[in-house]
Amino acid sequence: MEKPPTPNSLPLPNDKPKNTQKKKVPSPKELISHYTTQGLDQEQASIKVIEDLQNVLFRIIASNNKNRKDKLMAEASKKIDVVNSRVAIVDMKLDSKPGFLETFGIGIASGAALNGIGSVWPHVVKGFRQIWRTATDPSSSTNT
């Protein structure tokens, strides 16, 4: 006795019979006999079979070439888009960086600021030292 399948189980491969069978390709002799039954003689039937096969072959080759061209165009388009986005990123990075003159100006300004800080620093330290001495020296307290 078979168990019923659980609700979440996958169907077994033998559950459904396969009705999809590949269609058998007719042989050249079968094609010739088909055309002879339609009233053509042996030579005309052979020529008709050759024409049909050439047409089928031409359609297959033409469709494959079209697919290749489409794939080639799609790939080329994707590659061009990637290159274009990379160039845009590099261009944006270059635009955001200062040029030679801007860099030179920034260097002069920072040098002047550092020089100014260097000249002011001893005065600032002297002021803090006086405040510290005044706060810690009990003999120099003044009451006003």
Side-chain angles (χ1 to χ4, degrees):
M1 187 158 174
E2 266 186 52
K3 287 183 175 180
T6 58
N8 292 334
S9 69
L10 295 173
L12 296 175
N14 295 333
D15 286 350
K16 295 180 182 177
K18 292 184 179 180
N19 291 335
T20 57
Q21 295 178 354
K22 288 188 177 182
K23 195 174 189 180
K24 182 182 171 190
V25 179
S27 68
K29 288 182 181 180
E30 290 174 347
L31 290 173
I32 290 172
S33 65
H34 170 71
Y35 284 122
T36 54
T37 57
Q38 289 184 351
L40 297 174
D41 64 351
Q42 187 73 18
E43 185 179 340
Q44 290 174 340
S46 297
I47 292 172
K48 182 71 172 162
V49 167
I50 292 170
E51 286 176 2
D52 290 345
L53 292 175
Q54 285 176 340
N55 288 337
V56 169
L57 185 62
F58 177 74
R59 279 190 234 138
I60 290 172
I61 291 171
S63 68
N64 284 343
N65 285 340
K66 183 179 177 185
N67 289 340
R68 285 185 197 148
K69 288 178 185 176
D70 290 343
K71 288 178 184 177
L72 180 65
M73 291 300 290
E75 288 176 8
S77 177
K78 288 177 186 177
K79 289 179 182 178
I80 289 172
D81 289 342
V82 168
V83 168
N84 189 21
S85 65
R86 288 183 181 174
V87 168
I89 291 170
V90 169
D91 187 36
M92 192 171 51
K93 287 181 179 180
L94 288 176
D95 286 343
S96 67
K97 295 188 176 166
F100 178 74
L101 292 176
E102 291 90 0
T103 305
F104 187 70
I106 291 169
I108 289 176
S110 63
L114 190 59
N115 192 15
I117 291 172
S119 65
V120 171
W121 185 251
H123 299 290
V124 172
V125 171
K126 185 178 177 183
F128 280 123
R129 189 175 36 206
Q130 286 176 354
I131 293 170
W132 183 258
R133 269 194 233 152
T134 305
T136 57
D137 191 14
S139 63
S140 66
S141 67
T142 56
N143 293 332
T144 53

